[in-house]
Structures are given as structure tokens and as C-alpha cells.
Amino acid sequence: MVEITSLFGGSMRLLHLPKSYPIHCNMVSASNTFGSGHLKLQNNEPCSRFRPCRVKREDNNQTADVESISVDENTLKQDLETAIQEENYVEAAKIRDKLKELQEDNNASVLSANSRFYQSFRIGDLAAMQSLWSKSGNPCCVHPGAKGITGYDYVMESWEFVWMNYEFPLQIELKDIEVHVRGEVGYVTCMEFVKTKGSSSWGAQFVSNVFERIDGQWFICIHHASPVDI
């Protein structure tokens, strides 16, 4: 059984977990998770069955377009190094501009994927949420105050519990957004503020969302939300 005293703030709710739910420790508690309440997760299964939070990337056959993006970036970096060594600074400046444009495109794509994630969260669109997560490897989700959940099916099951217990749309605001991209992996960090219907307080979390590019599209593979006192 899971006893949730307001993930986002609000009244107490009791949920019965299926045996497949990957939270098996006796008690996990946290304060100020998505509001002023507390989160308690309780199950009588042994802790040894809990799966540690890690992501493994499987080998994927990327499309020609994705391969060309990676090749272009690596080639440009090599060309830039060569131009600098040859003291061809005019050419180096041109290559640097091309690299900047390519990196800005990647940053914009990751930010767009992050926006889609929060839009599905905000309006309670479970189908959209399911389509945004990577199905390869072991995607990982850490809800505020809870232990990590790994595996696509388990992660989706955890979001279903959120959907079952709160009235949508939620009020969600993001601040201090930063994005970084390194090859086929990008991540966004931000402060996330969530307020539910009927609650007078905002819950604050520091969030890290990690994305991986698969067949030309960015999918979220890690969502980690840590509660912050405000």
C-alpha cells in the first residue's frame, strides 16, 4: 500500500500498489514534495528487490540524418583545430560560426522536447507522456522525495499514479532553465514550481531532465526532481 499525503499538496490518498511496482522498501518519507505535504511509500516486500537508478544506453542503428549531424559536428571541430594550427583565422572564424549554429539547433531541439514533457505533465496527457520517454535501456524517474524507478513500464506506472490522484491541469512554472548538449545526449536543469487545484502553496523542485537522441528525435531518459524548501 502507498500512503500519499499530498505529492503536490492537498488531502491524503491511499493507493494499493500492484506487486510489479518497483518500490519495495518499508518506508520512504519526504517533506515539501510538490507542496507542503509529505510523501510516504510503504510496501512489505524486501528492499533487495528495489532496482538501483541507472541508465544503460543500448546500441541503436541511427538514421543517415542523425549520423550526418554527428559527423558534421566532429568534422567541423577537426577543421577548426586544423585552421587554428595553420593560423588561418578567417577560416577558423567561419567554422566557429557554423559550429555555433549547429549547437544552437541542438539546444533548441532539446528545449522543445523538455517543453513537450512539461506540457503533458501540466494538462495530464498520459498518452503524450508515454510517447516522450525512451524505451531503450533503463529510463529512470525520481519523483520528489522518492527513490529511483527504472524501466519504461515501471516509470509509466509511476506517472499513472500521479494521474490518478490529482486534478488537472496543474499550475507549473519553470525558472533558471539551462540546456546543454553533448553529441547524442542533452540535459536541462531548472527550478520547477507546481501548484495543484485547491492548494494555497507551491511545491518547489530542482529538476534535471536528461534526453537522448534516437533516430533523429529527442526522448527523455532521466527525470530527477529534488524537493527544495522555499
Side-chain angles (χ1 to χ4, degrees), residues 90-140:
V90 174
E91 183 64 20
K94 293 179 180 178
I95 296 172
R96 192 176 291 113
D97 289 341
K98 291 180 181 178
L99 262 175
K100 183 178 179 181
E101 290 176 3
L102 183 60
Q103 290 166 351
E104 287 176 350
D105 288 343
N106 288 337
N107 288 352
S109 296
V110 171
L111 284 174
S112 178
N114 193 66
S115 295
R116 292 194 297 273
F117 169 80
Y118 275 106
Q119 178 63 7
S120 68
F121 189 7
R122 183 178 290 108
I123 67 176
D125 189 338
L126 183 59
M129 179 66 76
Q130 291 170 339
S131 70
L132 294 171
W133 278 82
S134 170
K135 296 180 177 65
S136 67
N138 283 313
C140 176

Side-chain angles (χ1 to χ4, degrees), residues 13-16 126 157-168:
R13 297 167 176 82
L14 296 178
L15 299 177
H16 294 279
L126 183 59
E157 201 169 332
S158 75
W159 284 108
E160 288 177 13
F161 281 115
V162 174
W163 261 240
M164 288 165 54
N165 281 269
Y166 297 95
E167 186 177 354
F168 293 89

Side-chain angles (χ1 to χ4, degrees), residues 62-80 95 98-99 102-103 106 182-184 213:
Q62 303 294 331
T63 63
D65 288 342
V66 176
E67 289 178 347
S68 65
I69 291 173
S70 299
V71 170
D72 286 347
E73 186 171 359
N74 291 332
T75 300
L76 286 171
K77 288 179 179 179
Q78 292 173 2
D79 291 345
L80 177 60
I95 296 172
K98 291 180 181 178
L99 262 175
L102 183 60
Q103 290 166 351
N106 288 337
R182 298 291 183 273
E184 304 305 303
R213 184 162 45 196

Side-chain angles (χ1 to χ4, degrees), residues 13-229:
R13 297 167 176 82
L14 296 178
L15 299 177
H16 294 279
L17 288 177
K19 292 182 179 179
S20 62
Y21 195 73
I23 298 178
H24 303 293
C25 295
N26 289 332
M27 183 70 70
V28 179
S29 62
S31 62
N32 194 34
T33 53
F34 293 117
S36 58
H38 301 272
L39 169 67
K40 293 183 179 180
L41 303 173
Q42 185 170 344
N43 196 319
N44 294 325
E45 297 294 330
C47 289
S48 60
R49 291 182 57 190
F50 184 80
R51 304 194 301 172
C53 179
R54 67 170 63 93
V55 170
K56 296 180 180 178
R57 165 120 187 195
E58 294 179 346
D59 292 334
N60 292 291
N61 293 323
Q62 303 294 331
T63 63
D65 288 342
V66 176
E67 289 178 347
S68 65
I69 291 173
S70 299
V71 170
D72 286 347
E73 186 171 359
N74 291 332
T75 300
L76 286 171
K77 288 179 179 179
Q78 292 173 2
D79 291 345
L80 177 60
E81 185 176 347
T82 299
I84 293 174
Q85 290 175 350
E86 295 176 352
E87 299 184 357
N88 188 348
Y89 299 117
V90 174
E91 183 64 20
K94 293 179 180 178
I95 296 172
R96 192 176 291 113
D97 289 341
K98 291 180 181 178
L99 262 175
K100 183 178 179 181
E101 290 176 3
L102 183 60
Q103 290 166 351
E104 287 176 350
D105 288 343
N106 288 337
N107 288 352
S109 296
V110 171
L111 284 174
S112 178
N114 193 66
S115 295
R116 292 194 297 273
F117 169 80
Y118 275 106
Q119 178 63 7
S120 68
F121 189 7
R122 183 178 290 108
I123 67 176
D125 189 338
L126 183 59
M129 179 66 76
Q130 291 170 339
S131 70
L132 294 171
W133 278 82
S134 170
K135 296 180 177 65
S136 67
N138 283 313
C140 176
C141 185
V142 184
H143 294 291
K147 289 190 175 182
I149 301 168
T150 59
Y152 176 82
D153 291 338
Y154 288 146
V155 170
M156 291 304 102
E157 201 169 332
S158 75
W159 284 108
E160 288 177 13
F161 281 115
V162 174
W163 261 240
M164 288 165 54
N165 281 269
Y166 297 95
E167 186 177 354
F168 293 89
L170 303 173
Q171 294 185 58
I172 300 178
E173 294 184 5
L174 305 180
K175 295 183 179 180
D176 302 328
I177 301 171
E178 294 188 8
V179 58
H180 305 273
V181 179
R182 298 291 183 273
E184 304 305 303
V185 176
Y187 65 94
V188 176
T189 60
C190 63
M191 282 297 300
E192 169 193 287
F193 299 89
V194 180
K195 186 177 181 181
T196 58
K197 288 186 177 181
S199 175
S200 59
S201 62
W202 288 82
Q205 292 73 231
F206 180 81
V207 175
S208 300
N209 289 329
V210 181
F211 298 84
E212 61 176 343
R213 184 162 45 196
I214 302 173
D215 294 337
Q217 295 184 359
W218 291 97
F219 294 89
I220 188 168
C221 57
I222 300 175
H223 169 71
H224 190 148
S226 299
V228 176
D229 291 330

